[in-house]
């Protein structure tokens, strides 16, 4: 399938001299043509992600094309090597920028862009160095790039380094630290910050009143210019001035989100992927043939035909259920009591983590906030410093790793706080490796004389029960859910295992099936997969049992002795094999002089993109579990 937008029309002969702040007519004409060409291409191939069902974050890369085209002109004709010729970018979701540049530079065939974010295409949702031809850095998570760029500037004191930023990444505390060291060391770093006043949950000007990027960076000591992003003359004059100013400079670039895209301009809906219909309408208005729309309409989501036994065909979103369960609990209280006892603070992810339902029903106890996981967690914990109150917050589990010091502080202060970490594990993670939530047990970082509670429910019914128990508890309570939807676990008679009459008991493991050959221990999104593998193994003559361990960090002495005296134990999880439950459970067994054959399966590899494809990529699908069960039952290793 050919790429219908001719990237060969990109003008590579534009030479820009920072000493000349005014563009010639021909420079302006060619720059504008380059901008339009790349914007059209980004709209087209990110819409392929929408058609495939893997999302794609169109707005950020679309917005920043003007500054990218200016940098390309500077880098292409840099015979004196004045610049480090890399488009470093703090916003990993602007990965489409790196992919279009890779195609422009000949590292990727343009046609390959049609496989944007598809599994095993090497085009995941964040740039990863060493994975994608032409990609020159890994962005990591939002707001992590500027500190790294500072170090690159220290290694290249005689060169100018550019870093594309955003109003979202500037909310992270990392950037405040990066600003201070850049000023103190007089680093020749130039920040080009797309300030479109849009993040996932809305507009920073509304939920962070008083915050001003220009004033903040100037307060740190940077020279700051403000540019109109859709005025190429003004943009170039400010970038050229930044280059000529020695030391760290920020150009705060004002523009609406998705300028010129009907239905998305100025809206936070532009943050994610452009809908196919919107993309087709845009491209047709630009004069492209109807065949462009035909290409997109022929791209279909990957089908997952596998039918799991032991669970429902219907699936529910545990991450959504968390917020709905909190609302159900609050509904049982007097409203005054609810608003006095609980406070919920967002991390610009209320729609993704399910807490928007709390915002809608209880706006008086809900605090919209920005991309500041450390500060927001500590605020929630501080609210719960009063033994009669409890703070609640929610973010992606990948960001748990950023909170370890704050978690320790909350524990030392005996705070009451509940954190919902959604997007745990790897299932449905098109954003790929940097967004894998695989180190859940990092939250249990206290000493042996302290207690935290780490809960990972298996289905929406169990999530509801876990939340209700956690809401009436004390101390630090961490609740995990996946990005993917999960089915309901069934009993042998076809009723829901966690249906009517079920009550969750913290620290208690649950027997799903008894077995004589050995036991599989699992939880969360891997329970239904393990259940399927166990039932199929039993059909083949291996009488294996299954245990659900919804409390990850507490030993259930009764159950561990039960499984530890069986022939084998296999732990199956979508957490990091190095740091997950499996890495601990074997020790727990040995501490009790229990020596069954032992195996553990977890996440071991960087991602492959796509959605449900991440699980088989990690060898965690039911067939792989069956293989480990078979090996253990025959006396060989079950570690994968």
């Amino acid at each position: 399938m050919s790429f219908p937008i001719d990237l060969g029309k990109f003008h590579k002969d534009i030479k820009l001299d920072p000493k000349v702040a005014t563009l010639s007519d021909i420079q302006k004409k060619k720059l504008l043509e380059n901008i339009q060409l790349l914007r059209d291409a980004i709209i087209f191939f990110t819409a392929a992600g929408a058609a495939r069902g893997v999302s794609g974050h169109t707005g950020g890369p679309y917005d920043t094309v003007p500054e990218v085209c200016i940098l390309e002109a500077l880098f292409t004709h840099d015979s004196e090597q004045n610049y480090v010729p890399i488009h470093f970018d703090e916003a990993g979701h602007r990965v489409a920028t790196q992919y279009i540049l890779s195609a422009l530079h000949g590292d990727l065939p343009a046609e390959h862009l049609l496989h944007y974010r598809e599994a095993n295409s090497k085009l995941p949702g964040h740039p990863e160095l060493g994975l994608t031809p032409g990609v020159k850095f890994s962005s990591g998570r939002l707001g992590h790039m500027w500190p790294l760029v500072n170090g690159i500037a220290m290694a290249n004191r005689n060169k100018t380094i550019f870093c594309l930023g955003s109003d979202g990444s500037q909310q992270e505390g990392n950037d405040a630290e990066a600003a201070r060291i850049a000023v103190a060391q007089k680093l020749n770093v130039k920040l080009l910050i797309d300030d479109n006043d849009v993040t996932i949950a809305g507009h920073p000007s509304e939920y962070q009143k008083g915050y001003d990027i220009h004033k903040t960076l100037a307060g740190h000591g940077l020279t700051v210019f403000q540019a109109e992003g859709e005025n190429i003359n003004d943009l170039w004059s400010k970038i050229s001035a930044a280059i000529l100013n020695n030391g760290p400079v920020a150009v705060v670039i004002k523009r609406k989100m998705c300028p010129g895209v009907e239905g998305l301009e100025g809206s936070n809906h532009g943050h994610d992927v452009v809908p196919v219909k919107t993309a087709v309408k845009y491209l047709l208005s630009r004069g492209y043939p109807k065949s462009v729309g035909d290409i997109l309409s022929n791209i279909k989501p990957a089908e997952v035909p596998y039918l799991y036994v032991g669970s429902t065909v219907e699936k529910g979103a545990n991450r959504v259920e968390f917020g709905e369960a909190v609302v159900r609990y609050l509904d049982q209280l007097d409203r005054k009591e609810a608003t006095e006892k609980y406070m919920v603070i967002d991390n610009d992810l209320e729609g993704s983590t399910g807490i928007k339902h709390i915002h809608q029903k209880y706006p008086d106890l809900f605090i919209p906030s920005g991309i500041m996981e450390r500060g927001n967690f500590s605020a929630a914990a501080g609210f719960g410093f009063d033994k009669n109150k409890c703070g609640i917050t929610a973010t992606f589990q990948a960001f748990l790793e950023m909170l370890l010091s704050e978690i320790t502080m909350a524990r030392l202060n005996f705070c009451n706080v509940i954190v919902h970490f959604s997007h745990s594990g790897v299932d449905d993670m098109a954003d790929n490796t940097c967004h894998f939530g695989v180190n859940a047990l990092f939250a249990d970082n206290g000493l042996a004389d302290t207690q935290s509670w780490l809960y990972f429910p298996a289905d929406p019914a169990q999530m509801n029960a876990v939340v209700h128990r956690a809401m009436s508890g004390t101390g630090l309570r961490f609740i995990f859910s996946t990005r993917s939807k999960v089915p309901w676990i069934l009993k042998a008679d076809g009723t829901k295992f966690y249906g009517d009459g079920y009550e969750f008991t913290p620290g208690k493991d649950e027997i799903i099936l008894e077995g004589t050959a050995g036991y599989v221990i699992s939880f969360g999104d891997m329970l239904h997969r393990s259940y399927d593998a166990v039932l199929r193994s039993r059909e083949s003559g291996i009488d294996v049992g299954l245990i659900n361990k919804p409390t990850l960090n507490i030993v259930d002495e009764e159950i561990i002795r039960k499984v530890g005296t069986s022939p084998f134990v296999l732990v199956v999880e979508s957490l990091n094999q190095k740091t997950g439950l499996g890495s601990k459970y074997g020790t727990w067994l040995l501490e009790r002089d229990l020596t069954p054959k032992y195996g553990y399966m977890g996440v071991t590899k960087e991602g492959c993109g796509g959605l449900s494809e991440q699980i088989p990529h990690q060898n965690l699908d039911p067939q792989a579990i069956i293989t480990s069960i078979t090996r253990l039952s025959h006396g060989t290793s079950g570690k994968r």
Side-chain angles (χ1 to χ4, degrees):
M1 189 181 298
S2 63
F3 196 74
I5 297 173
D6 185 4
L7 298 181
K9 293 181 178 179
F10 188 86
H11 301 290
K12 297 183 178 181
D13 59 345
I14 307 171
K15 295 182 180 181
L16 298 176
D17 182 354
K19 298 184 181 68
V20 181
T22 303
L23 295 171
S24 69
D25 289 342
I26 189 63
Q27 286 173 328
K28 179 178 179 180
K29 178 178 182 295
K30 289 184 175 181
L31 274 174
L32 291 176
E33 289 175 353
N34 282 353
I35 291 166
Q36 193 62 66
L37 179 72
L38 294 197
R39 280 183 164 172
D40 293 350
I42 287 170
I43 287 283
F44 175 71
F45 79 81
T46 58
R52 190 168 281 111
V54 293
S55 188
H57 296 284
T58 302
Y62 176 94
D63 287 2
T64 53
V65 164
E67 41 268 45
V68 167
C69 287
I70 286 173
L71 295 188
E72 272 298 286
L74 289 171
F75 296 163
T76 301
H77 303 285
D78 181 27
S79 59
E80 297 181 6
Q81 296 186 326
N82 292 314
Y83 313 107
V84 172
I86 299 176
H87 297 258
F88 293 113
D89 195 337
E90 286 218 279
H93 281 160
R94 292 198 295 234
V95 68
T97 299
Q98 308 309 320
Y99 296 157
I100 194 69
L101 289 171
S102 295
L104 273 178
H105 297 160
D107 297 299
L108 284 176
E111 292 75 16
H112 193 61
L113 297 176
L114 288 167
H115 299 280
Y116 180 59
R117 290 169 65 110
E118 183 181 357
N120 300 302
S121 68
K122 300 188 185 300
L123 299 176
H126 280 238
E128 294 191 14
L129 182 65
L131 178 68
T132 311
V135 166
K136 299 177 180 179
F137 65 93
S138 297
S139 70
R141 299 152 189 158
L142 193 66
H144 282 57
M145 202 73 225
W146 185 4
L148 187 74
V149 165
N150 279 344
I152 294 168
M154 291 174 184
N156 295 272
R157 293 271 183 180
N158 62 333
K159 297 182 180 182
T160 297
I161 320 291
F162 293 95
C163 183
L164 298 169
S166 67
D167 51 343
S169 60
Q170 283 294 309
Q171 294 177 24
E172 290 282 16
N174 285 355
D175 278 6
E177 297 179 15
R180 290 195 291 273
I181 194 171
V183 171
Q185 293 297 314
K186 299 180 181 178
L187 301 178
N188 209 23
V189 173
K190 315 301 177 185
L191 280 294
L192 306 181
I193 300 171
D194 178 38
D195 186 9
N196 55 25
D197 192 32
V198 165
T199 55
I200 294 174
H203 304 285
S205 62
E206 296 175 1
Y207 63 73
Q208 285 191 335
K209 295 183 183 299
Y211 176 63
D212 184 284
I213 294 173
H214 189 293
K215 292 179 180 178
T216 298
L217 293 176
H220 285 306
L222 276 81
T223 299
V224 184
F225 299 111
Q226 183 167 300
E228 294 301 320
E230 297 308 294
N231 182 333
I232 194 65
N233 289 320
D234 187 52
L235 183 60
W236 166 243
S237 71
K238 301 302 169 45
I239 292 177
S240 63
I243 296 170
L244 295 177
N245 271 265
N246 192 37
V249 182
V251 181
V252 179
I253 302 167
K254 298 286 189 177
R255 59 163 63 89
K256 292 181 178 181
M257 170 69 83
C258 293
V261 182
E262 185 180 345
L264 295 182
E265 182 174 292
S267 166
N268 65 326
H269 295 297
H271 170 84
D272 210 325
V273 71
V274 58
V276 171
K277 287 183 179 179
T278 303
V280 171
K281 183 177 181 180
Y282 167 89
L283 292 167
L284 291 178
S285 73
R286 292 274 308 119
Y288 290 96
K290 180 179 176 294
S291 58
V292 169
D294 295 337
I295 292 172
L296 294 175
S297 65
N298 286 325
I299 296 174
K300 305 296 182 185
E303 293 186 4
V304 184
Y306 190 88
L307 181 63
Y308 292 93
V309 294
S311 57
T312 62
V313 175
E314 178 191 7
K315 293 183 177 183
N318 268 7
R319 60 187 174 117
V320 175
E321 178 65 21
F322 172 84
E324 294 178 342
V326 170
V327 167
R328 284 192 289 271
Y329 182 87
L330 294 175
D331 285 346
Q332 299 174 12
L333 306 179
D334 174 80
R335 194 172 188 97
K336 184 175 185 294
E337 178 189 359
T339 55
E340 287 181 353
K341 184 172 182 178
Y342 295 98
M343 181 271 285
V344 181
I345 187 167
D346 183 33
N347 286 282
D348 190 53
L349 292 171
E350 63 177 273
S352 298
T353 61
I355 62 172
K356 71 175 183 180
H357 300 286
I358 310 171
H359 192 180
Q360 291 166 355
K361 186 70 180 289
Y362 290 92
D364 39 355
L365 59 76
F366 191 94
I367 298 178
S369 190
I371 307 164
M372 305 177 295
E373 293 84 5
R374 299 172 182 86
N376 291 334
F377 169 84
S378 292
F383 183 86
F385 182 71
D386 183 326
K387 66 179 182 180
N388 296 312
K389 297 180 184 293
C390 179
I392 301 173
T393 189
T395 187
F396 294 170
Q397 196 216 290
F399 307 148
L400 183 160
E401 297 163 35
M402 299 160 60
L403 299 179
L404 299 190
S405 180
E406 286 74 13
I407 289 171
T408 297
M409 280 296 295
R411 184 177 289 112
L412 291 172
N413 282 291
F414 306 104
C415 295
N416 294 319
V417 61
I418 296 173
V419 187
H420 175 211
F421 288 116
S422 71
H423 294 55
S424 302
V426 301
D427 200 4
D428 273 15
M429 208 68 70
D431 284 337
N432 225 49
T433 311
C434 73
H435 271 47
F436 281 1
V438 293
N439 292 308
L441 277 92
F442 281 15
D444 190 29
N445 63 347
L447 299 176
D449 61 351
T450 62
Q451 185 58 67
S452 302
W453 302 93
L454 277 61
Y455 304 133
F456 204 142
D459 68 16
Q462 189 172 45
M463 171 63 86
N464 179 66
V466 166
V467 169
H468 276 242
R469 183 60 183 260
M471 289 289 286
S472 60
T474 59
L476 275 62
R477 289 145 281 166
F478 304 100
I479 302 177
F480 300 90
S481 69
T482 56
R483 182 185 186 277
S484 59
K485 293 183 178 181
V486 290
W488 279 261
I489 304 299
L490 296 176
K491 297 178 181 178
D493 62 6
T495 60
K496 291 181 178 178
F497 198 96
Y498 299 108
D500 294 341
Y502 170 74
E503 291 186 7
F504 172 69
T505 302
K508 181 64 179 173
D509 298 348
E510 299 164 344
I511 301 171
I512 306 298
L513 281 176
E514 295 277 9
T516 59
Y519 281 92
V520 173
I521 298 172
S522 194
F523 55 87
D525 58 319
M526 293 309 298
L527 187 69
H528 74 275
R529 295 180 169 98
S530 296
Y531 200 5
D532 176 271
V534 163
L535 290 172
R536 295 181 192 275
S537 295
R538 290 163 71 99
E539 288 177 357
S540 67
I542 304 173
D543 185 33
V544 60
L546 177 64
I547 304 293
N548 180 25
K549 187 168 182 56
T551 307
L552 302 184
N553 60 326
I554 306 297
V555 177
D556 182 331
E557 295 294 346
E558 179 184 358
I559 294 296
I560 199 169
R561 294 194 178 279
K562 180 182 185 67
V563 302
T565 54
S566 74
F568 74 80
V569 172
L570 174 65
V571 175
V572 180
E573 60 189 317
S574 62
L575 301 183
N576 187 346
Q577 191 178 74
K578 288 183 177 180
T579 66
L581 176 65
S583 69
K584 291 180 173 291
Y585 207 91
T587 301
W588 293 340
L589 287 166
L590 290 174
E591 287 173 345
R592 291 158 178 82
D593 294 323
L594 300 170
T595 56
K597 297 182 181 69
Y598 183 67
Y600 56 106
M601 303 172 66
V603 174
T604 59
K605 297 183 287 188
E606 292 190 353
C608 69
L611 292 175
S612 60
E613 294 89 351
Q614 295 283 12
I615 292 293
H617 173 70
Q618 300 291 343
N619 292 322
L620 292 173
D621 56 294
Q623 186 54 56
I625 301 170
I626 290 170
T627 299
S628 288
I629 290 171
T630 303
R631 286 175 175 172
L632 283 166
S633 69
H634 288 87
T636 54
S637 173
K639 180 180 176 181
R640 294 297 299 273

mmCIF file of all heavy atoms in Angstrom, residues 607-634:
data_model
loop_
_atom_site.group_PDB
_atom_site.id
_atom_site.type_symbol
_atom_site.label_atom_id
_atom_site.label_comp_id
_atom_site.label_asym_id
_atom_site.label_seq_id
_atom_site.Cartn_x
_atom_site.Cartn_y
_atom_site.Cartn_z
ATOM 1 N N GLY A 607 8.526 -3.658 25.028
ATOM 2 C CA GLY A 607 7.243 -3.876 24.378
ATOM 3 C C GLY A 607 7.300 -4.062 22.884
ATOM 4 O O GLY A 607 8.333 -3.882 22.239
ATOM 5 N N CYS A 608 6.136 -4.392 22.321
ATOM 6 C CA CYS A 608 6.024 -4.603 20.877
ATOM 7 C C CYS A 608 4.974 -3.701 20.248
ATOM 8 O O CYS A 608 4.669 -3.820 19.071
ATOM 9 C CB CYS A 608 5.689 -6.060 20.574
ATOM 10 S SG CYS A 608 4.014 -6.548 21.088
ATOM 11 N N GLY A 609 4.390 -2.770 21.056
ATOM 12 C CA GLY A 609 3.292 -1.960 20.524
ATOM 13 C C GLY A 609 2.014 -2.779 20.442
ATOM 14 O O GLY A 609 1.899 -3.872 20.988
ATOM 15 N N GLY A 610 1.033 -2.221 19.756
ATOM 16 C CA GLY A 610 -0.247 -2.899 19.671
ATOM 17 C C GLY A 610 -0.978 -2.846 20.994
ATOM 18 O O GLY A 610 -0.680 -2.022 21.866
ATOM 19 N N LEU A 611 -1.971 -3.716 21.170
ATOM 20 C CA LEU A 611 -2.773 -3.716 22.386
ATOM 21 C C LEU A 611 -2.677 -5.078 23.068
ATOM 22 O O LEU A 611 -1.753 -5.339 23.817
ATOM 23 C CB LEU A 611 -4.216 -3.342 22.050
ATOM 24 C CG LEU A 611 -4.414 -1.882 21.588
ATOM 25 C CD1 LEU A 611 -5.846 -1.642 21.164
ATOM 26 C CD2 LEU A 611 -4.026 -0.911 22.696
ATOM 27 N N SER A 612 -3.628 -5.960 22.791
ATOM 28 C CA SER A 612 -3.609 -7.271 23.451
ATOM 29 C C SER A 612 -2.394 -8.092 23.035
ATOM 30 O O SER A 612 -2.068 -9.094 23.675
ATOM 31 C CB SER A 612 -4.892 -8.033 23.122
ATOM 32 O OG SER A 612 -5.003 -8.235 21.730
ATOM 33 N N GLU A 613 -1.706 -7.663 21.978
ATOM 34 C CA GLU A 613 -0.522 -8.399 21.516
ATOM 35 C C GLU A 613 0.611 -8.371 22.534
ATOM 36 O O GLU A 613 1.544 -9.181 22.461
ATOM 37 C CB GLU A 613 -0.026 -7.820 20.187
ATOM 38 C CG GLU A 613 -0.979 -8.005 19.031
ATOM 39 C CD GLU A 613 -1.987 -6.863 18.882
ATOM 40 O OE1 GLU A 613 -2.044 -5.995 19.790
ATOM 41 O OE2 GLU A 613 -2.695 -6.832 17.857
ATOM 42 N N GLN A 614 0.562 -7.425 23.482
ATOM 43 C CA GLN A 614 1.653 -7.349 24.457
ATOM 44 C C GLN A 614 1.739 -8.616 25.312
ATOM 45 O O GLN A 614 2.828 -9.019 25.727
ATOM 46 C CB GLN A 614 1.451 -6.129 25.375
ATOM 47 C CG GLN A 614 1.538 -4.781 24.689
ATOM 48 C CD GLN A 614 2.964 -4.339 24.389
ATOM 49 O OE1 GLN A 614 3.906 -5.117 24.491
ATOM 50 N NE2 GLN A 614 3.127 -3.090 24.015
ATOM 51 N N ILE A 615 0.595 -9.233 25.600
ATOM 52 C CA ILE A 615 0.602 -10.419 26.466
ATOM 53 C C ILE A 615 1.307 -11.609 25.796
ATOM 54 O O ILE A 615 2.241 -12.191 26.372
ATOM 55 C CB ILE A 615 -0.827 -10.785 26.916
ATOM 56 C CG1 ILE A 615 -1.368 -9.706 27.872
ATOM 57 C CG2 ILE A 615 -0.867 -12.158 27.571
ATOM 58 C CD1 ILE A 615 -0.663 -9.612 29.198
ATOM 59 N N PRO A 616 0.930 -12.025 24.582
ATOM 60 C CA PRO A 616 1.679 -13.125 23.957
ATOM 61 C C PRO A 616 3.127 -12.758 23.659
ATOM 62 O O PRO A 616 4.006 -13.632 23.678
ATOM 63 C CB PRO A 616 0.883 -13.416 22.668
ATOM 64 C CG PRO A 616 0.029 -12.221 22.450
ATOM 65 C CD PRO A 616 -0.263 -11.659 23.788
ATOM 66 N N HIS A 617 3.400 -11.473 23.407
ATOM 67 C CA HIS A 617 4.781 -11.033 23.184
ATOM 68 C C HIS A 617 5.645 -11.343 24.405
ATOM 69 O O HIS A 617 6.834 -11.654 24.274
ATOM 70 C CB HIS A 617 4.793 -9.531 22.886
ATOM 71 C CG HIS A 617 6.163 -8.929 22.803
ATOM 72 N ND1 HIS A 617 7.032 -9.191 21.769
ATOM 73 C CD2 HIS A 617 6.813 -8.069 23.634
ATOM 74 C CE1 HIS A 617 8.157 -8.519 21.959
ATOM 75 N NE2 HIS A 617 8.046 -7.831 23.091
ATOM 76 N N GLN A 618 5.043 -11.280 25.600
ATOM 77 C CA GLN A 618 5.773 -11.572 26.840
ATOM 78 C C GLN A 618 5.696 -13.056 27.227
ATOM 79 O O GLN A 618 6.136 -13.429 28.322
ATOM 80 C CB GLN A 618 5.196 -10.719 27.983
ATOM 81 C CG GLN A 618 5.288 -9.223 27.780
ATOM 82 C CD GLN A 618 6.710 -8.693 27.848
ATOM 83 O OE1 GLN A 618 7.606 -9.363 28.345
ATOM 84 N NE2 GLN A 618 6.919 -7.486 27.345
ATOM 85 N N ASN A 619 5.154 -13.889 26.340
ATOM 86 C CA ASN A 619 4.954 -15.318 26.630
ATOM 87 C C ASN A 619 4.088 -15.514 27.868
ATOM 88 O O ASN A 619 4.402 -16.332 28.756
ATOM 89 C CB ASN A 619 6.300 -16.036 26.801
ATOM 90 C CG ASN A 619 7.088 -16.116 25.517
ATOM 91 O OD1 ASN A 619 6.517 -16.317 24.443
ATOM 92 N ND2 ASN A 619 8.390 -15.938 25.607
ATOM 93 N N LEU A 620 2.992 -14.767 27.924
ATOM 94 C CA LEU A 620 2.072 -14.855 29.057
ATOM 95 C C LEU A 620 0.664 -15.265 28.630
ATOM 96 O O LEU A 620 -0.274 -15.147 29.415
ATOM 97 C CB LEU A 620 2.012 -13.501 29.791
ATOM 98 C CG LEU A 620 3.284 -13.076 30.529
ATOM 99 C CD1 LEU A 620 3.136 -11.657 31.063
ATOM 100 C CD2 LEU A 620 3.606 -14.041 31.668
ATOM 101 N N ASP A 621 0.513 -15.736 27.411
ATOM 102 C CA ASP A 621 -0.799 -16.174 26.949
ATOM 103 C C ASP A 621 -1.109 -17.555 27.534
ATOM 104 O O ASP A 621 -0.219 -18.230 28.073
ATOM 105 C CB ASP A 621 -0.825 -16.216 25.420
ATOM 106 C CG ASP A 621 0.278 -17.097 24.858
ATOM 107 O OD1 ASP A 621 1.456 -16.733 25.029
ATOM 108 O OD2 ASP A 621 -0.020 -18.163 24.296
ATOM 109 N N PRO A 622 -2.360 -17.991 27.479
ATOM 110 C CA PRO A 622 -2.719 -19.283 28.092
ATOM 111 C C PRO A 622 -1.873 -20.460 27.625
ATOM 112 O O PRO A 622 -1.550 -21.339 28.433
ATOM 113 C CB PRO A 622 -4.194 -19.446 27.703
ATOM 114 C CG PRO A 622 -4.702 -18.042 27.615
ATOM 115 C CD PRO A 622 -3.563 -17.266 27.003
ATOM 116 N N GLN A 623 -1.513 -20.497 26.349
ATOM 117 C CA GLN A 623 -0.730 -21.631 25.872
ATOM 118 C C GLN A 623 0.639 -21.670 26.539
ATOM 119 O O GLN A 623 1.149 -22.739 26.897
ATOM 120 C CB GLN A 623 -0.571 -21.581 24.354
ATOM 121 C CG GLN A 623 0.119 -22.813 23.772
ATOM 122 C CD GLN A 623 -0.562 -24.116 24.179
ATOM 123 O OE1 GLN A 623 -1.742 -24.314 23.952
ATOM 124 N NE2 GLN A 623 0.191 -25.019 24.818
ATOM 125 N N ALA A 624 1.233 -20.492 26.755
ATOM 126 C CA ALA A 624 2.530 -20.450 27.438
ATOM 127 C C ALA A 624 2.390 -20.891 28.890
ATOM 128 O O ALA A 624 3.275 -21.562 29.441
ATOM 129 C CB ALA A 624 3.111 -19.039 27.367
ATOM 130 N N ILE A 625 1.258 -20.521 29.517
ATOM 131 C CA ILE A 625 1.017 -20.946 30.902
ATOM 132 C C ILE A 625 0.844 -22.469 30.958
ATOM 133 O O ILE A 625 1.377 -23.140 31.846
ATOM 134 C CB ILE A 625 -0.212 -20.229 31.480
ATOM 135 C CG1 ILE A 625 -0.007 -18.707 31.459
ATOM 136 C CG2 ILE A 625 -0.480 -20.696 32.916
ATOM 137 C CD1 ILE A 625 -1.262 -17.907 31.795
ATOM 138 N N ILE A 626 0.117 -23.010 29.995
ATOM 139 C CA ILE A 626 -0.070 -24.469 29.923
ATOM 140 C C ILE A 626 1.278 -25.165 29.778
ATOM 141 O O ILE A 626 1.543 -26.196 30.421
ATOM 142 C CB ILE A 626 -1.002 -24.835 28.752
ATOM 143 C CG1 ILE A 626 -2.435 -24.378 29.056
ATOM 144 C CG2 ILE A 626 -0.962 -26.335 28.475
ATOM 145 C CD1 ILE A 626 -3.372 -24.485 27.873
ATOM 146 N N THR A 627 2.142 -24.596 28.949
ATOM 147 C CA THR A 627 3.475 -25.188 28.764
ATOM 148 C C THR A 627 4.247 -25.234 30.075
ATOM 149 O O THR A 627 4.883 -26.237 30.413
ATOM 150 C CB THR A 627 4.265 -24.395 27.714
ATOM 151 O OG1 THR A 627 3.574 -24.438 26.462
ATOM 152 C CG2 THR A 627 5.668 -24.958 27.534
ATOM 153 N N SER A 628 4.181 -24.128 30.860
ATOM 154 C CA SER A 628 4.877 -24.098 32.155
ATOM 155 C C SER A 628 4.262 -25.080 33.144
ATOM 156 O O SER A 628 4.979 -25.742 33.903
ATOM 157 C CB SER A 628 4.845 -22.682 32.726
ATOM 158 O OG SER A 628 5.699 -21.826 32.006
ATOM 159 N N ILE A 629 2.923 -25.182 33.139
ATOM 160 C CA ILE A 629 2.255 -26.157 34.012
ATOM 161 C C ILE A 629 2.723 -27.574 33.663
ATOM 162 O O ILE A 629 3.037 -28.386 34.550
ATOM 163 C CB ILE A 629 0.721 -26.044 33.863
ATOM 164 C CG1 ILE A 629 0.223 -24.729 34.481
ATOM 165 C CG2 ILE A 629 0.021 -27.241 34.506
ATOM 166 C CD1 ILE A 629 -1.247 -24.448 34.192
ATOM 167 N N THR A 630 2.773 -27.871 32.375
ATOM 168 C CA THR A 630 3.181 -29.211 31.925
ATOM 169 C C THR A 630 4.613 -29.509 32.339
ATOM 170 O O THR A 630 4.920 -30.604 32.821
ATOM 171 C CB THR A 630 3.020 -29.323 30.397
ATOM 172 O OG1 THR A 630 1.664 -29.028 30.050
ATOM 173 C CG2 THR A 630 3.388 -30.715 29.915
ATOM 174 N N ARG A 631 5.504 -28.538 32.159
ATOM 175 C CA ARG A 631 6.910 -28.744 32.530
ATOM 176 C C ARG A 631 7.043 -29.015 34.025
ATOM 177 O O ARG A 631 7.767 -29.925 34.447
ATOM 178 C CB ARG A 631 7.728 -27.513 32.147
ATOM 179 C CG ARG A 631 7.984 -27.366 30.659
ATOM 180 C CD ARG A 631 8.688 -26.060 30.365
ATOM 181 N NE ARG A 631 9.052 -25.949 28.959
ATOM 182 C CZ ARG A 631 9.540 -24.843 28.402
ATOM 183 N NH1 ARG A 631 9.688 -23.751 29.141
ATOM 184 N NH2 ARG A 631 9.852 -24.815 27.131
ATOM 185 N N LEU A 632 6.361 -28.205 34.834
ATOM 186 C CA LEU A 632 6.453 -28.379 36.280
ATOM 187 C C LEU A 632 5.860 -29.713 36.728
ATOM 188 O O LEU A 632 6.373 -30.369 37.638
ATOM 189 C CB LEU A 632 5.757 -27.218 36.994
ATOM 190 C CG LEU A 632 6.548 -25.906 37.033
ATOM 191 C CD1 LEU A 632 5.649 -24.746 37.434
ATOM 192 C CD2 LEU A 632 7.724 -26.021 37.999
ATOM 193 N N SER A 633 4.775 -30.077 36.090
ATOM 194 C CA SER A 633 4.145 -31.354 36.472
ATOM 195 C C SER A 633 5.022 -32.540 36.099
ATOM 196 O O SER A 633 4.890 -33.629 36.673
ATOM 197 C CB SER A 633 2.774 -31.492 35.806
ATOM 198 O OG SER A 633 2.900 -31.675 34.404
ATOM 199 N N HIS A 634 5.963 -32.302 35.155
ATOM 200 C CA HIS A 634 6.895 -33.370 34.765
ATOM 201 C C HIS A 634 8.271 -33.168 35.391
ATOM 202 O O HIS A 634 9.238 -33.840 35.012
ATOM 203 C CB HIS A 634 7.029 -33.430 33.242
ATOM 204 C CG HIS A 634 5.813 -33.987 32.571
ATOM 205 N ND1 HIS A 634 4.742 -33.200 32.213
ATOM 206 C CD2 HIS A 634 5.476 -35.256 32.201
ATOM 207 C CE1 HIS A 634 3.801 -33.944 31.637
ATOM 208 N NE2 HIS A 634 4.218 -35.199 31.624
#
